[in-house]
Amino acid sequence: MRTLAPFGRRRVAVAGGEDAGAYRLLHVDDPAGPSPSPGQFYMLAAAEHWGAGADERPYLPRAFSYMADAGGRLGFMFEDVGPGTHRLAQLDAGDELWLLGPLGEGFSAPADGRRALLAGGGIGAPPLYALSAVLDDPHVRVDALLGFRDAHHARVAESLFEGTPVQLATDDGSVGHQGFVTELLARELDADDHAVVYACGPAPMLEAVRALCAERRVPAQLALEAGMACGFGACYGCVVALADGSYMRVCVDGPVVDADELAHVPAH
Amino acid sequence: MRTLAPFGRRRVAVAGGEDAGAYRLLHVDDPAGPSPSPGQFYMLAAAEHWGAGADERPYLPRAFSYMADAGGRLGFMFEDVGPGTHRLAQLDAGDELWLLGPLGEGFSAPADGRRALLAGGGIGAPPLYALSAVLDDPHVRVDALLGFRDAHHARVAESLFEGTPVQLATDDGSVGHQGFVTELLARELDADDHAVVYACGPAPMLEAVRALCAERRVPAQLALEAGMACGFGACYGCVVALADGSYMRVCVDGPVVDADELAHVPAH
Amino acid sequence: MAVEFCGIALAHPVINGSGTFDAIAARRAFGDAMLDAFPFSAFVSKTITLQPRSGNPPPRLWEAQAGMINSIGLPNRGLAGYLEHDLPRLAELPVPLITNVMGSTELEVAQLVESIDARAEVAAIELNVSCPNVQTGLDIGADPRSLGSLVRAVRPLTRKPLIVKLTPNTADVAAVAAAAQDAGADAVSLVNTLRAMARDPGSGGPWLGGRTGGLSGAAIRSVALAQVAAVSARVSLPVIGMGGVAHGTHAHDLISVGATLVAVGTESFRDPCAGTRIAAELKSLQIAGSSSIEVNRSEPQPEVDLNCADS
Amino acid sequence: MAVEFCGIALAHPVINGSGTFDAIAARRAFGDAMLDAFPFSAFVSKTITLQPRSGNPPPRLWEAQAGMINSIGLPNRGLAGYLEHDLPRLAELPVPLITNVMGSTELEVAQLVESIDARAEVAAIELNVSCPNVQTGLDIGADPRSLGSLVRAVRPLTRKPLIVKLTPNTADVAAVAAAAQDAGADAVSLVNTLRAMARDPGSGGPWLGGRTGGLSGAAIRSVALAQVAAVSARVSLPVIGMGGVAHGTHAHDLISVGATLVAVGTESFRDPCAGTRIAAELKSLQIAGSSSIEVNRSEPQPEVDLNCADS
Ligand SMILES: Cc1cc2nc3c(=O)[nH]c(=O)nc-3n(C[C@H](O)[C@H](O)[C@H](O)COP(=O)(O)OP(=O)(O)OC[C@H]3O[C@@H](n4cnc5c(N)ncnc54)[C@H](O)[C@@H]3O)c2cc1C
Ligand SMILES: Cc1cc2nc3c(=O)[nH]c(=O)nc-3n(C[C@H](O)[C@H](O)[C@H](O)COP(=O)(O)OP(=O)(O)OC[C@H]3O[C@@H](n4cnc5c(N)ncnc54)[C@H](O)[C@@H]3O)c2cc1C
Ligand SMILES: Cc1cc2nc3c(=O)[nH]c(=O)nc-3n(C[C@H](O)[C@H](O)[C@H](O)COP(=O)(O)O)c2cc1C
Ligand SMILES: Cc1cc2nc3c(=O)[nH]c(=O)nc-3n(C[C@H](O)[C@H](O)[C@H](O)COP(=O)(O)O)c2cc1C
Ligand code: FES
Ligand code: FES
C-alpha cells in the first residue's frame, strides 16, 4: 500500500517526546499531511541545528518508519545511534521538524484468511506496530514476535501492541525467550503456517526470516533499510540487489518487498 | 598591556545571559584563566551546535573583548549580527563555551597626568568599560563618551560605567546629543586636551577619532577589529595596513594600536 | 525572471543537476501534484549510456561535512530503454527537456547524440565528459585536447543546443571550457562532483561500492563559484553554474560571476521543492538588487605577483 | 607512536601544515608554556620566499561551509630575514624543523634550497609548488613535466630530505607525485588548499583581497583522503597527508591509506592544541585497532567499467 505524499517538506511541531527504555518516542503534529499506510516512512530533519554534530554531521534528512498515526499526530520511535538520531533525540514539545512523506511502498494485508505473524527486531518494531493497529479485522489472527538486546530495550514493547498478543525474545534472556525472534517464528509456523510473515529489523534477522519463510514456503513481506539521501527516488543511493541481479531503490520500490524477490538480505 | 593566555582553549560554563536593549550580555565562569588586561579579547565558540546556522556557519571561533572581570567571572557584550553571535545569543546559564584567551595587546594607562577620554561606538563599549574599571586612580580624570544608533541601543550604557561620567550621543537624538560621538570628543578636547583618547567602535568612527586626535596632536589608542580565524597569530588573516605600508596582525600586534601608527582606519 | 538559454525560453533560471531529480520516481511518490508545482524551468535527465547500466554496488552514499559523496555509477536503462520507456513520460513534464549522455568512445557518444537528436521531445543535449579517456586514463573532461576532438566529432550530428558538462577535477577548467567552445559547443555546465573518498568505519576499507565517489553539496560551493567565474571569464558561451546551491544568494552569486542558468542538485535531496524556493529567493534578490544583476564576466585577477591558492 | 620520517625520529606522526601555526607569535600569546606542550612532533615553517613579501591586501579570510577560504599571499620576511630573525627563535622549539620554501623560477628555488641546506637547525626542506609557472601559467605543481624539471634541478643542492608539497588543483595528482619521485624527491605532502572564491555580500565583487583563495578545513577532508590514497598507491615515497584533519579518526584514515605523517592546519585555529589532542586520539585508536594499523597503499580501483566521480 502507498499513500501519496504532498509535494514538498513540511515544517511541523513536535508535540512531545519521551524516553522508553533504550528508545526515544517522538510525537509530531502533521495536520496538513495525509494518513499514511503501515510500512511507509518519513524523512525527518530538525529545523534548527541540523548539522555541526559529530564530524560536522548530520547534513541530509533521516528516514523513519511511522509507528502511530492518530488524527494528524504521527509517532516515531528510534535509538540514538549517530549524529542524526542524536539530534532528533534532543527534540521536545515546541521544537520544530522538517518532515517529508509518507514515502515508499507499505505492507499489504494478508489474503485468503492467512494469519499475520509480525516479526520485529529492535527498531524494526515501529512499522509492525503501525500494521497491527490497522489489522483490526476480527477474522484475522495477529501475533507479534519481538526480539530485543535485553529487558532494557524490550521495555518499549509493553507500551505498544495493546490488543495484540506479544512474545518477546532477548539476546541475554533477561525477559522472554533467550535467543532469536526467528526461533519464536519457527515455533509459530510449526503450529500453523497458513500465515503471512511481516518482518522488520536488522539485516541478519531479516535474512534469517527470509530463509526460514523460503524454506517453509510461507509468504513474507520484509521492510528493508538502506542509507538514504532523498527518500523519493532522486539519488539512486538506497539500492538493494534483487534475486534477478537488478537493483531496487528501497525508498520508492520499497521499503516493503516480497521476500522471494531477494536472494538474500544484504548487510548494508 | 598583555596578560599571557594559558596554552589551549578551555571548556567553560555560562553563568548567565541577559538582554540589555539591543545587546546580549554573557557572563562566563573562567576559574582557570588569568585576570585579563583591558583591551584584550577572547575567542569564543559554543561547545554544542557551533555550525549549521545560516549558510552552514559558524565554523571558526569568534573574537570578543571582555567587558568585565570579577573573581574569575568574565563579562561579554555583543549584538546579534550573524550566525556566530546569533548562536552565542542563544546561550544561557548552564550552557558551555570553548574559550581561548586573554589574547592580544591591551590599552596602556595614561602617562604624565593626562586625563582619560573613552570614546566608544556601539559594540566598542566593552573594552572601554573594562578600562574604566581599572582606571581607579583618583588623580586620573576619566570621562566616557558613547555613541549609539538610538535610545534602544544606548540603554546598555546605563548598566555600565558606574562611577564614570558618561555622555551619550545617538544618531537619531532619541537620547543625549544628536550626532557623532566625535563631536562630543572635540568639545572635550576644546575644554582640555591634556588627555589620552581610548577609542573602540566601527571603523568610520575610529577613523574620525584618529583624524581628530592627529590634528589636535592628542595621543590616542584605538582598539581595532578585523575578521579573525585563530586569534593568536597563526593564520595571518587579520591584518590592517600601517602608515609605513607594512601590515599588523590585529590579534597579536593589536587589537590596541597607537593611532599615529595608522595612516587611516580601513573599512574592513 | 524569464530567461532565454540557447534559444530556449525558460520561466526562470533554475534547473536541476543531472542525476539529482528523477521526475518519474518523484511522480510515483508525490503524484501529479508534482507536475503542477514542478520546481525547475527545464528538466535535465540522468546520464544515459548506450547500453543499460545497473550502476555501482552499494553502499553508494556517504554523508560528508556539509555535503555528501556518491558513487551511483550511472544506472540507466540504456539509450533504447530511455527512448522507449522514459522519454514519453518525461515529455509529460511542463518544461523543456535536456538529455544528458555519456559514452566511453567517440563512436558511442556519436550514436547517443544522433538518436537523441531525432527526438522532438528533447530541447537540448548535455554531454557528461567526467569519464576516463580509454587512452590517457584521464577524464576526457580534464584534458582540453581529447575533449575538443570529442566535441568536434559529435557537433555536426545535432542541430539541438549542445551543452558540455565540465568536471572540476582538473588543473585549468577554463582551458577545457575554451576547448569546448572552439569545438562548437553551444554552452558549458559546471561543476560536476569533486573526486572524494570515505573509509568504512568498520572494515577500514573504502566505504563506497565504487571505492571513490564524488563530493557535492554546500562543501563545494566556494570551489564551484571560483570555477564558474574562471570559465565565464574565458568563454563567451552561456554557462550553467552549479555546486552547492541551496539558497537564492548562492544562485545570485553564480549569475553575478557570469552564469546564465543555475542548477540545483544535492539541495533537492534535502528539500524536493528547493528549485521553486531558490527561484523565488533569487527573484526577490534581483528585484532588491540593481533591477537586473550587473554581471561581471572578467576573471578575478589577483593584484599580487605570486597568487597561491593556499595563502 | 614514535615514527621515523626520512631518517628523522619523531615522537608521534602529527605535525602542522605550513602557514597554519606561527610558533613565534604563539609564544608571544601563550609564553613558554607553549614550548613545553608543543602540539606537533615537527614544526613546518610558513612558506619562505627569496624576497620579503607583505602578502595580499585584506580581507584575507572567508568562512565557508565547514571550512574557510584564505588569501594570505605568503607574507614573510624573505630568506635573509628568515635566516637571521626567525630561524634562531624556531631553533628553540623542542622538535625538528622543516622549512617550506617557494620560488617563481628554478633559480629562486635553487638559492632558497642552497641557503637553507647550509643551516644545521633545519632537518628537512619542503617545496611549495602551488604557484603559477611563468611559461605555462599552470601551477608548477599541477604539471608533472615542469615539476619534474624543478625538482631535478634543485635536488642536488641539498643532502637534507626534500619534501614536495602537492596542489590538489590538478587532474591527476598521482602523476605529479610520480614525477616528483622520479626527479629525486624524498617525500610528498598533500593536500594544499582547493582553489575557491567568495563574493562580497555588499559590493558583489570578490570578497578576498587576492580575489580567489584556498579552501581548507573539514569541507576538503574527503577530497584529501582520495588524493592521499591515490598518491600513496602510485609512489613508494613517504607521504604527509593533510586536509581537514580535526580528530584522531581523520588522521587514522590518512595513515590507513598510506600516509606516514599527518599534518593539521585549520583545526589549529579552532583549537591551538589540536595537534596534541589528535595525536592522543590517534594513539588510542591504534592501540584499540589491530595493534599497528594495517596500511593499504594500493589504489582503490572501481570494479565498474565507467567510474565517474559524479555518479
Ligand atoms: C525506510 C527506513 C525506515 C527506518 N525507520 C527507522 C525507525 O523507525 N527507527 C529507527 O531508529 N531507525 C530507522 N531507520 C534507520 C535510521 O534512518 C538510521 O538509524 C538513521 O539514519 C541513522 O542516522 P544517524 O546520523 O543517527 O547515524 P549514522 O551516523 O548515519 O549511522 C548509521 C549507519 O550509517 C553508516 N554510516 C556511518 N557514518 C556514515 C556517513 N558519514 N555516511 C553514510 N553512512 C554512514 C554506518 O553503517 C552507521 O551504522 C530507518 C531507515 C530506513 C531506510
Ligand atoms: C578583537 C575583537 C574584539 C571584538 N569584540 C567584540 C565585542 O566585544 N562585541 C561584539 O559584539 N563584537 C565584537 N567583535 C566583533 C565580533 O567578533 C563579530 O561581530 C563576530 O565575529 C561576528 O560573527 P557573526 O558570525 O555573528 O557574523 P558574520 O557573519 O561573521 O558577519 C560579521 C561580518 O563579517 C563579514 N562576513 C560576512 N560573511 C562572512 C563570511 N562567510 N566569512 C567572513 N566574513 C564574513 C561581514 O563583513 C559581516 O559584517 C570583536 C572583534 C574583534 C576582532
Ligand atoms: C547522487 C548524485 C548523482 C549524480 N548523477 C549525475 C549524473 O548522472 N550525470 C551528471 O552529469 N551529473 C551527476 N551528478 C552531479 C550533479 O549533476 C551536480 O553536477 C553536482 O552534484 C554538483 O551540484 P550540487 O552540489 O548542487 O549537488 C550527480 C550528483 C549526485 C549528488
Ligand atoms: C591560513 C592558511 C595559510 C596557509 N599558508 C600556507 C603556506 O604558507 N604554505 C603552504 O605550503 N601551505 C599553506 N597553507 C595550506 C596548509 O598547509 C594545508 O595544506 C591546508 O590548509 C589543508 O589542511 P587543513 O584542511 O588541515 O587546513 C595554508 C593554509 C591556511 C588555512
Ligand atoms: S534515497 Fe535517494 S533514491 Fe532512495
Ligand atoms: S586571527 Fe589569525 S593571525 Fe590574527
Side-chain angles (χ1 to χ4, degrees):
Chain A
M1 286 261 306
R2 179 194 299 266
T3 302
L4 290 184
F7 185 46
R9 57 182 187 171
R10 307 185 282 288
R11 190 172 178 129
V12 298
V14 173
E18 54 191 287
D19 295 327
Y23 301 100
R24 178 81 179 167
L25 304 183
L26 210 58
H27 309 289
V28 177
D29 284 327
D30 181 29
S35 168
S37 312
Q40 287 193 294
F41 67 98
Y42 291 80
M43 299 297 286
L44 302 183
E48 275 247 306
H49 303 311
W50 190 248
D55 235 347
E56 297 89 38
R57 297 168 54 217
Y59 175 67
L60 300 162
R62 299 296 195 255
F64 296 92
S65 311
Y66 81 96
M67 174 179 71
D69 155 45
R73 175 162 297 181
L74 299 169
F76 298 96
M77 164 185 147
F78 56 90
E79 189 170 7
D80 176 348
V81 299
T85 48
H86 181 75
R87 174 61 186 134
L88 291 172
Q90 297 174 330
L91 298 180
D92 219 323
D95 292 329
E96 292 191 308
L97 275 179
W98 285 112
L99 173 146
L100 177 73
L103 297 166
E105 186 66 46
F107 296 110
S108 48
D112 47 60
R114 290 175 179 267
R115 61 189 292 215
L117 282 168
L118 317 186
I123 56 130
L128 300 179
Y129 174 61
L131 178 63
S132 73
V134 302
L135 291 180
D136 48 11
D137 173 345
H139 310 306
V140 178
R141 174 163 163 217
V142 182
D143 291 275
L145 318 172
L146 303 175
F148 293 97
R149 229 164 299 161
D150 51 34
H152 179 58
H153 285 77
R155 258 194 46 208
V156 71
E158 301 155 10
S159 56
L160 306 179
F161 295 98
E162 311 96 10
T164 307
V166 174
Q167 299 172 50
L168 291 178
T170 52
D171 303 350
D172 65 357
S174 50
V175 55
H177 166 77
Q178 165 155 20
F180 296 127
V181 72
T182 40
E183 290 155 10
L184 299 178
L185 179 60
R187 215 190 278 159
E188 283 296 325
L189 290 176
D190 291 338
D192 171 6
D193 68 358
H194 187 62
V196 178
V197 173
Y198 299 89
C200 186
M205 174 254 181
L206 286 183
E207 171 56 17
V209 170
R210 186 203 60 76
L212 181 69
C213 294
E215 173 195 315
R216 307 281 188 115
R217 294 213 170 60
V218 174
Q221 299 179 26
L222 311 179
L224 302 178
E225 273 192 22
M228 293 187 170
C230 70
F232 57 96
C235 75
Y236 282 77
C238 61
V239 295
V240 164
L242 298 178
D244 67 8
S246 70
Y247 288 118
M248 71 176 276
R249 278 172 288 179
V250 170
C251 69
V252 278
D253 306 323
V256 175
V257 57
D258 288 336
D260 50 25
E261 287 191 40
L262 302 174
H264 67 281
V265 179
H268 10 242
Chain B
M1 286 260 307
R2 178 194 300 266
T3 303
L4 289 183
F7 185 44
R9 57 182 187 170
R10 306 185 283 288
R11 190 172 178 129
V12 298
V14 173
E18 55 191 287
D19 294 327
Y23 302 100
R24 178 80 178 167
L25 303 183
L26 211 56
H27 310 290
V28 176
D29 284 327
D30 181 29
S35 166
S37 312
Q40 286 193 295
F41 67 98
Y42 291 80
M43 298 299 285
L44 303 184
E48 275 247 306
H49 302 309
W50 190 248
D55 236 347
E56 296 89 37
R57 297 169 54 220
Y59 175 68
L60 300 162
R62 300 295 195 252
F64 296 92
S65 310
Y66 81 95
M67 174 180 71
D69 154 45
R73 176 162 296 181
L74 299 169
F76 299 96
M77 166 186 148
F78 56 89
E79 189 170 8
D80 176 349
V81 299
T85 49
H86 181 76
R87 173 61 186 134
L88 291 171
Q90 296 175 331
L91 299 180
D92 219 324
D95 292 329
E96 292 191 308
L97 274 179
W98 285 112
L99 172 147
L100 177 73
L103 296 166
E105 187 66 44
F107 297 109
S108 47
D112 47 60
R114 290 175 180 269
R115 63 188 291 213
L117 283 169
L118 317 186
I123 56 130
L128 300 178
Y129 174 61
L131 178 63
S132 72
V134 302
L135 292 179
D136 48 11
D137 174 343
H139 308 307
V140 179
R141 177 167 161 212
V142 182
D143 291 273
L145 318 171
L146 303 175
F148 293 96
R149 229 162 300 160
D150 51 35
H152 178 60
H153 285 76
R155 258 194 45 208
V156 71
E158 300 155 9
S159 57
L160 306 179
F161 295 95
E162 311 97 8
T164 307
V166 175
Q167 300 171 51
L168 292 177
T170 52
D171 303 349
D172 65 357
S174 50
V175 56
H177 166 76
Q178 165 155 23
F180 295 126
V181 71
T182 40
E183 290 155 11
L184 300 178
L185 180 60
R187 212 189 282 158
E188 284 296 324
L189 291 176
D190 291 339
D192 170 6
D193 68 359
H194 188 60
V196 178
V197 173
Y198 299 89
C200 186
M205 174 255 182
L206 286 184
E207 171 56 17
V209 170
R210 188 204 58 77
L212 181 69
C213 293
E215 169 197 318
R216 309 279 187 114
R217 294 214 172 59
V218 175
Q221 298 179 25
L222 311 179
L224 302 178
E225 273 191 23
M228 293 186 171
C230 70
F232 58 96
C235 75
Y236 282 78
C238 61
V239 295
V240 165
L242 298 179
D244 67 10
S246 70
Y247 288 119
M248 71 176 276
R249 279 172 288 179
V250 170
C251 69
V252 278
D253 306 323
V256 174
V257 57
D258 288 335
D260 50 24
E261 288 191 38
L262 302 175
H264 67 282
V265 179
H268 8 242
Chain C
M1 288 278 283
V3 49
E4 196 200 273
F5 173 78
C6 298
I8 310 164
L10 302 177
H12 60 75
V14 181
I15 68 174
N16 66 299
S18 172
T20 63
F21 195 91
D22 179 335
I24 296 171
R27 200 168 169 185
R28 284 170 63 197
F30 304 116
D32 290 353
M34 195 270 302
L35 297 180
D36 311 330
F38 197 70
F40 308 109
S41 63
F43 179 74
V44 183
S45 77
K46 187 154 180 58
T47 292
I48 307 303
T49 52
L50 201 52
Q51 299 308 323
R53 289 170 53 87
S54 50
N56 289 342
R60 292 177 171 184
L61 301 172
W62 179 261
E63 185 177 63
Q65 293 63 46
M68 59 175 279
I69 310 176
N70 83 85
S71 75
I72 306 301
L74 302 180
N76 76 98
R77 299 174 179 273
L79 178 62
Y82 171 76
L83 295 177
E84 181 198 328
H85 179 278
D86 295 350
L87 195 49
R89 287 170 179 72
L90 296 178
E92 297 173 14
L93 296 176
V95 299
L97 301 181
I98 299 173
T99 300
N100 177 297
V101 300
M102 171 189 275
S104 37
T105 66
E106 256 175 40
L107 188 65
E108 270 185 31
V109 179
Q111 284 178 266
L112 286 157
V113 169
E114 266 185 317
S115 333
I116 303 291
D117 180 69
R119 296 298 294 259
E121 304 95 315
V122 179
I125 302 175
E126 182 175 59
L127 292 187
N128 178 355
V129 293
S130 303
C131 63
N133 173 309
V134 191
Q135 286 78 36
T136 67
L138 275 187
D139 280 4
I140 293 174
D143 171 14
R145 205 175 293 91
S146 36
L147 178 71
S149 70
L150 173 66
V151 173
R152 217 168 277 106
V154 302
R155 165 72 280 184
L157 305 178
T158 180
R159 314 271 287 302
K160 299 187 193 291
L162 189 64
I163 308 161
V164 175
K165 174 124 180 221
L166 303 170
T167 169
N169 302 302
T170 180
D172 184 358
V173 68
V176 182
Q181 172 165 294
D182 299 344
D186 298 299
V188 292
S189 56
L190 71 159
V191 295
N192 213 316
T193 56
L194 274 62
R195 195 171 296 109
M197 183 182 173
R199 274 180 73 250
D200 186 331
S203 76
W207 169 263
L208 297 166
R211 309 301 184 87
T212 62
L215 180 65
S216 64
I220 72 168
R221 185 178 303 145
S222 59
V223 173
L225 184 61
Q227 295 204 356
V228 169
V231 165
S232 302
R234 182 80 72 88
V235 303
S236 56
L237 296 179
V239 172
I240 305 174
M242 70 192 97
V245 173
H247 293 287
T249 52
H250 310 142
H252 189 261
D253 285 350
L254 288 167
I255 290 171
S256 306
V257 299
T260 301
L261 300 183
V262 166
V264 175
T266 302
E267 186 63 11
S268 292
F269 303 156
R270 312 202 310 163
D271 173 4
C273 297
T276 305
R277 173 175 54 78
I278 291 164
E281 290 167 354
L282 177 62
K283 185 172 188 176
S284 46
L285 280 171
Q286 298 185 338
I287 291 164
S290 51
S291 62
S292 86
I293 313 176
E294 80 316 320
V295 173
N296 168 9
R297 284 192 72 155
S298 67
E299 177 151 27
Q301 287 303 346
E303 295 125 347
V304 291
D305 45 335
L306 279 177
N307 175 45
C308 307
D310 55 274
S311 45
Chain D
M1 288 279 284
V3 50
E4 196 201 273
F5 173 79
C6 297
I8 310 164
L10 302 177
H12 60 75
V14 182
I15 69 175
N16 65 298
S18 172
T20 63
F21 195 91
D22 180 334
I24 297 171
R27 201 168 168 185
R28 284 170 63 198
F30 304 116
D32 290 354
M34 196 269 304
L35 297 181
D36 311 331
F38 197 70
F40 309 108
S41 63
F43 179 73
V44 182
S45 78
K46 188 154 179 60
T47 292
I48 308 304
T49 53
L50 202 51
Q51 299 307 323
R53 289 170 53 87
S54 50
N56 289 343
R60 293 177 170 183
L61 301 173
W62 179 261
E63 185 177 62
Q65 292 62 46
M68 60 176 278
I69 309 176
N70 82 85
S71 75
I72 306 300
L74 302 180
N76 76 98
R77 300 174 178 272
L79 178 62
Y82 172 76
L83 296 176
E84 182 198 329
H85 178 277
D86 296 350
L87 196 48
R89 288 171 178 73
L90 296 178
E92 296 173 15
L93 296 176
V95 299
L97 300 182
I98 299 173
T99 299
N100 177 297
V101 300
M102 170 188 276
S104 37
T105 66
E106 256 174 41
L107 188 65
E108 271 186 31
V109 180
Q111 284 178 265
L112 287 157
V113 170
E114 264 183 319
S115 334
I116 303 291
D117 179 68
R119 296 299 291 262
E121 304 94 316
V122 179
I125 302 176
E126 183 175 56
L127 292 187
N128 178 355
V129 293
S130 303
C131 64
N133 172 311
V134 189
Q135 286 78 35
T136 67
L138 276 188
D139 280 5
I140 293 173
D143 171 14
R145 205 175 293 92
S146 36
L147 177 72
S149 70
L150 172 66
V151 173
R152 217 169 275 105
V154 301
R155 165 73 283 185
L157 305 178
T158 181
R159 313 272 287 302
K160 298 188 194 288
L162 189 64
I163 307 161
V164 175
K165 174 124 180 219
L166 303 171
T167 169
N169 302 303
T170 180
D172 184 359
V173 68
V176 182
Q181 172 164 293
D182 298 345
D186 297 301
V188 292
S189 56
L190 70 160
V191 298
N192 213 317
T193 55
L194 273 64
R195 194 171 297 109
M197 183 182 173
R199 274 180 72 248
D200 187 331
S203 77
W207 169 263
L208 296 166
R211 309 301 185 84
T212 62
L215 180 65
S216 64
I220 72 169
R221 185 178 301 144
S222 58
V223 173
L225 183 61
Q227 295 205 355
V228 169
V231 165
S232 301
R234 182 79 72 89
V235 302
S236 56
L237 297 179
V239 173
I240 304 175
M242 70 192 96
V245 173
H247 292 287
T249 51
H250 310 143
H252 189 262
D253 285 350
L254 288 167
I255 290 172
S256 306
V257 299
T260 301
L261 300 182
V262 166
V264 175
T266 302
E267 186 64 12
S268 292
F269 304 156
R270 312 202 313 163
D271 173 4
C273 297
T276 306
R277 173 175 54 78
I278 291 164
E281 291 167 353
L282 178 61
K283 185 172 187 175
S284 45
L285 280 169
Q286 297 184 339
I287 290 164
S290 51
S291 63
S292 87
I293 313 175
E294 80 317 320
V295 172
N296 167 10
R297 284 193 71 155
S298 66
E299 177 152 25
Q301 287 302 347
E303 295 127 348
V304 290
D305 45 336
L306 278 178
N307 173 47
C308 308
D310 55 273
S311 47

